[in-house]
């Protein structure tokens, strides 16, 4: 562990918050640049982020395995085209061991506050149960989707049955022969619904908005493919490149919703083909343009509604009693268990993950982002020197691998750290006009995309319809634009008087 302790205040050059894909990628690249003076602060007891938390039945990735992995830590023996959560979790563990990252991790260290000291050009991070930590650079790798969204249902306090959220699945609770209500039809729900339907006595699927679900490539990699991936880096990279460019081609219908509507006809046919009852099929067809919300992939979801023990309920939930769920039409359904498949809080402020972040002039990031979060390439935010983020505003994706974006961001952050060191300054901050121009450009690019004009309410947007989460175009453009930091976009602050000293000046 590289943290030094002086008068109980610990100090480090770089503090990474979060040990998911982002935090670990950042750590590996720091090590490759010979920067060892960093810590990874993780509130849980292990690495893994999303893939540690989401272990519900059927949990899997909707990006191809060879794309949803780090380019500098390839895995040649992915079992199938789209990996299950457990295999991704194992991969993350394996990468952690391979790069010996555990020694840099401080588990059970939930950051509760981050405050910038303008005089000393340092961040102080506070924790629930530990002494504070000072860091020259802070990197938010705390994840875009993390805090469960729990809808308030009238009478929930009276309900005596079992209740849990998909990301907090209680594996001790046996669902066999239980009567279960599942709320939501998002990414997680469409994965666990077909799995639990096989075991439960009765499953009620409560749908507010239908989801566009298209076929999933379930093919396994043959032993020969795995052998070739292992033997030939070129072969593996060609495979990855093919996946990358086929994913990139999906931008075309995103920016031209007319083209998306052709694909939508096929997706509608897929529903009608898979669901026997025409009325149920009709209820499962969304009323917005495909792509407006994340397009999901499954071959198992729709056929679940052919089962006798599964009912699709589209009436609104009114309240819960001690053993039943009651809909607005007055119908009462007895249940043993209620599962929230309701996703995660994506309120703009949740980019903060429930902690206060105080920058220059004591301004709070939560307040700055009150209406809409904005930053520069999702990485740097004006008024918050030396604070960098992974998967920040407008850098999530609807069409390709987020790992590609994370790697571009990590590369950019490394350059910023190097620039501060090279210029013998102590901090850097993006110029306000540069950030504003960037955001105007992004919002212009978003106009006309399926996300803005598709007629849905999605977590990508604020209540007034501003898309704060998605990168509006090809990811290669993001890579190109962030490949090299333009130092003139930034101001450099302070003077580093220490000679050859690796730790931050106190
Ligand atoms: C159920 C689910 C399914 C998904 N499926 C896909 C998919 O199929 N394809 C896809 O591209 N993306 C998917 N995603 C998005 C996924 O989050 C990203 O792909 C990716 O895992 C993000 O990595 P990350 O490191 O940025 O964040 P995370 O994996 O969320 O890791 C963040 C880490 O930060 C820690 N942390 C948070 N706050 C604090 C704090 N205050 N102090 C200390 N530690 C903190 C968390 O405990 C966590 O370990 C999915 C997300 C979820 C929730």
């Amino acid at each position: 562990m590289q943290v030094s302790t002086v008068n109980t205040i610990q100090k480090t050059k770089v503090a990474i918050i979060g040990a998911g894909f982002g935090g670990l990628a950042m750590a590996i690249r720091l090590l490759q640049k010979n920067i060892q003076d960093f810590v990874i602060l993780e509130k849980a007891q292990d690495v893994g982020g999303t893939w540690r938390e989401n272990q519900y039945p059927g949990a899997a990735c909707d990006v191809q395995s060879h794309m949803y992995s780090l380019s500098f830590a390839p895995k040649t023996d992915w079992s199938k085209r789209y990996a299950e959560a457990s295999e991704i979790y194992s991969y993350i563990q394996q990468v952690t061991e391979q790069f010996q990252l555990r020694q840099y991790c401080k588990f059970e260290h939930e950051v509760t506050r981050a405050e910038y000291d303008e005089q000393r050009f340092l961040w102080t991070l506070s924790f629930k149960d530990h002494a504070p930590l000072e860091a020259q650079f802070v990197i938010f790798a705390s994840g875009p989707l993390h805090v469960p969204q729990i809808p308030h249902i009238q009478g929930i306090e009276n309900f005596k049955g079992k209740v849990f959220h998909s990301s907090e699945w209680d594996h001790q609770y046996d669902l066999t022969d239980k009567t279960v209500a599942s709320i939501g039809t998002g990414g997680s729900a469409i994965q666990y619904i077909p799995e639990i339907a096989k075991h439960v006595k009765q499953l009620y699927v409560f749908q507010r908005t239908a989801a566009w679900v298209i076929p999933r490539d379930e093919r396994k990699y043959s032993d020969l493919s795995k052998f070739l991936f292992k033997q030939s880096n070129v072969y593996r990279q060609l495979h990855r490149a093919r996946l990358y460019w086929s994913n990139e081609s999906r931008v075309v219908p995103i920016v031209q919703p007319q083209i998306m509507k052709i694909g939508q006809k096929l997706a509608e046919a897929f529903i009608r083909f898979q669901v026997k009852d025409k009325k149920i099929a009709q209820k499962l067809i969304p009323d917005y343009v495909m792509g407006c919300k994340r397009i999901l992939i499954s071959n198992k979801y729709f056929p679940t509604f052919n089962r006798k023990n599964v009912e699709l309920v589209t009436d609104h939930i009114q309240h819960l009693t001690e053993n039943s769920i009651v809909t607005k039409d007055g119908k009462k359904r007895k249940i043993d268990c209620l599962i929230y498949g309701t996703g995660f809080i994506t309120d703009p402020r949740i980019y903060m993950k429930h902690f206060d972040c105080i920058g220059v002039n004591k301004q709070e990031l939560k307040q700055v982002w009150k209406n809409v979060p904005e930053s520069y390439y999702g990485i740097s935010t004006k008024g918050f020197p030396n604070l960098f983020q992974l998967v920040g505003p407008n850098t999530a994706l609807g069409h390709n691998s987020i790992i590609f974006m994370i790697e571009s961001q990590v590369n950019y952050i490394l350059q910023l750290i190097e620039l501060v060191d090279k210029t013998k300054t102590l901090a850097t901050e993006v110029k306000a006009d540069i950030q504003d121009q960037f955001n105007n450009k992004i919002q212009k690019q978003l106009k006309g995309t399926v996300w803005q004009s598709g007629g849905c309410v999605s977590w990508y947007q604020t209540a007034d319809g501003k898309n704060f989460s998605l990168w509006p175009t090809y990811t290669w453009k993001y890579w190109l634009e962030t490949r090299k930091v333009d130092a003139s976009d930034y101001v450099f602050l302070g003077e580093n008087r220490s000679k050859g000293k690796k730790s931050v000046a106190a």
Side-chain angles (χ1 to χ4, degrees):
M1 183 64 61
Q2 296 297 312
V3 168
S4 57
T5 309
V6 182
N7 296 338
T8 74
I9 300 273
Q10 299 178 308
K11 295 177 198 293
T12 188
K13 184 179 177 85
V14 185
I16 302 168
I17 306 177
F21 260 117
L24 298 176
M26 188 74 235
I28 295 168
R29 298 286 286 116
L30 280 169
L31 287 174
Q32 288 174 344
K33 289 278 174 190
N34 211 17
I35 299 174
Q36 289 159 16
D37 190 5
F38 69 88
V39 281
I40 307 171
L41 306 162
E42 169 55 57
K43 68 178 192 171
Q45 291 172 349
D46 197 4
V47 297
T50 293
W51 305 100
R52 178 196 68 238
E53 281 170 356
N54 291 275
Q55 296 278 335
Y56 54 80
C61 191
D62 64 9
V63 175
Q64 306 91 337
S65 322
H66 277 270
M67 270 313 300
Y68 196 78
S69 40
L70 297 163
S71 66
F72 45 80
K75 173 173 157 69
T76 55
D77 61 348
W78 284 110
S79 63
K80 39 175 154 167
R81 299 302 196 274
Y82 291 86
E84 285 168 17
S86 54
E87 192 173 7
I88 301 174
Y89 185 40
S90 303
Y91 165 72
I92 295 176
Q93 304 256 7
Q94 179 200 315
V95 168
T96 305
E97 306 314 329
Q98 183 187 340
F99 292 90
Q100 300 179 0
L101 299 178
R102 279 189 199 277
Q103 57 181 312
Y104 300 96
C105 292
K106 285 181 151 239
F107 295 116
E108 298 183 316
H109 272 66
E110 177 167 1
V111 179
T112 52
R113 184 182 171 85
E115 182 161 3
Y116 184 64
D117 182 333
E118 287 175 59
Q119 264 69 52
R120 298 166 66 224
F121 306 97
L122 285 180
W123 283 91
T124 302
L125 301 178
S126 308
F127 308 90
K128 254 189 216 150
D129 306 315
H130 304 277
L133 171 73
E134 285 184 349
Q136 185 181 6
F137 300 96
V138 172
I139 293 154
F140 284 175
S142 45
L145 299 173
H146 176 60
V147 181
Q149 167 98 295
I150 310 284
H152 178 71
I153 304 174
Q154 204 190 323
I156 183 74
E157 62 285 357
N158 303 325
F159 182 61
K160 298 231 166 76
K162 180 80 183 167
V163 183
F164 55 85
H165 185 270
S166 59
S167 67
E168 292 161 350
W169 200 273
D170 185 347
H171 291 276
Q172 305 304 316
Y173 183 77
D174 186 4
L175 286 167
T176 312
D177 293 332
K178 299 280 187 336
T179 298
V180 178
S182 169
I183 305 180
T185 51
S188 303
I190 68 118
Q191 292 182 339
Y192 69 71
I193 284 170
E195 302 305 322
I196 65 171
K198 292 183 246 175
H199 308 292
V200 300
K201 186 164 137 201
Q202 175 69 39
L203 176 63
Y204 301 115
V205 177
F206 286 84
Q207 169 186 284
R208 193 177 56 180
T209 316
W212 284 111
V213 186
I214 60 171
R216 179 184 186 90
D217 184 349
E218 295 280 14
R219 281 175 301 161
K220 290 186 174 156
Y221 282 111
S222 65
D223 289 343
L224 177 63
S225 294
K226 289 186 220 170
F227 174 77
L228 292 173
F229 289 141
K230 195 169 176 194
Q231 295 304 314
S232 166
N233 224 5
V234 174
Y235 181 73
R236 185 188 56 76
Q237 279 171 342
L238 279 174
H239 180 65
R240 193 174 145 104
R242 189 180 68 73
L243 297 173
Y244 175 78
W245 289 108
S246 77
N247 292 349
E248 282 296 85
S249 69
R250 297 179 194 164
V251 171
V252 177
I254 286 172
V255 296
Q256 289 170 351
Q258 291 312 321
I259 299 179
M260 185 67 91
K261 283 181 187 164
I262 301 170
Q264 184 175 316
K265 288 277 169 229
L266 293 172
E268 202 177 309
F270 178 59
I271 301 174
R272 294 193 195 283
F273 174 72
Q274 286 207 311
V275 181
K276 286 185 195 144
D277 185 308
K278 286 192 175 138
K279 279 191 190 148
I280 298 176
Q282 191 58 41
K283 285 185 188 178
L284 288 164
I285 296 173
D287 59 2
Y288 55 86
V289 182
M290 186 163 82
C292 185
K293 285 168 179 262
R294 192 174 180 91
I295 300 172
L296 308 175
I297 55 171
S298 172
N299 302 334
K300 299 180 191 165
Y301 177 62
F302 292 130
T304 308
F305 296 97
N306 296 329
R307 296 182 69 99
K308 286 204 170 66
N309 67 335
V310 176
E311 182 188 346
L312 177 68
V313 186
T314 52
D315 288 306
H316 288 250
I317 297 167
Q318 194 183 55
H319 67 274
L320 281 161
T321 67
E322 64 172 22
N323 59 6
S324 305
I325 188 160
V326 184
T327 41
K328 286 227 165 99
D329 58 357
K331 196 160 178 189
K332 197 171 181 181
R333 293 172 177 84
K334 266 193 156 188
I335 55 168
D336 302 305
C337 173
L338 174 66
I339 305 175
Y340 292 119
T342 42
F344 299 85
I345 295 180
T346 53
D347 177 290
R349 283 157 293 185
I350 211 62
Y351 273 105
M352 293 308 312
K353 298 293 168 288
H354 285 161
F355 62 85
D356 295 324
C357 177
I358 322 288
V360 170
N361 292 331
K362 299 275 170 231
Q363 59 180 332
E364 276 193 53
L365 194 48
K366 265 186 207 158
Q367 283 306 313
V368 176
W369 282 355
K370 195 169 63 160
N371 298 323
V372 64
E374 284 184 348
S375 66
Y376 189 47
Y377 287 107
I379 300 172
S380 315
T381 307
K382 60 183 179 187
F384 295 84
N386 282 4
L387 179 75
F388 308 125
Q389 189 171 14
L390 301 175
V391 203
N394 288 107
T395 63
L397 296 177
H399 72 284
N400 211 335
S401 175
I402 196 68
I403 310 297
F404 181 85
M405 299 297 270
I406 288 177
E407 286 194 30
S408 302
Q409 292 164 350
V410 163
N411 178 50
Y412 188 92
I413 294 169
L414 280 176
Q415 290 181 49
L416 285 172
I417 294 174
E418 282 175 343
L419 270 171
V420 169
D421 288 347
K422 261 192 215 153
T423 51
K424 296 204 183 310
T425 54
L426 290 169
T428 187
E429 181 187 345
V430 64
K431 291 177 182 167
D433 57 331
I434 295 289
Q435 179 178 313
D436 295 344
Q437 281 163 23
F438 170 79
N439 281 284
N440 290 340
K441 187 180 91 177
I442 291 287
Q443 289 304 321
K444 266 192 208 137
Q445 285 180 317
L446 281 161
K447 279 202 183 111
T449 62
V450 70
W451 304 309
Q452 297 298 102
S453 60
C456 72
V457 177
S458 77
W459 65 263
Y460 301 145
Q461 298 162 323
T462 58
D464 58 2
K466 202 163 182 182
N467 189 319
F468 63 91
S469 52
L470 289 168
W471 175 247
T473 178
Y474 297 97
T475 62
W476 62 263
K477 287 195 175 177
Y478 186 83
W479 170 82
L480 198 65
E481 289 172 31
T482 55
R483 189 175 98 259
K484 192 159 180 352
V485 172
D486 183 345
S488 68
D489 291 347
Y490 286 82
V491 287
F492 291 85
L493 309 160
E495 189 189 341
N496 190 349
R497 294 201 190 97
S498 61
K499 283 187 192 146
K501 198 176 154 196
K502 280 196 175 160
S503 282
V504 294

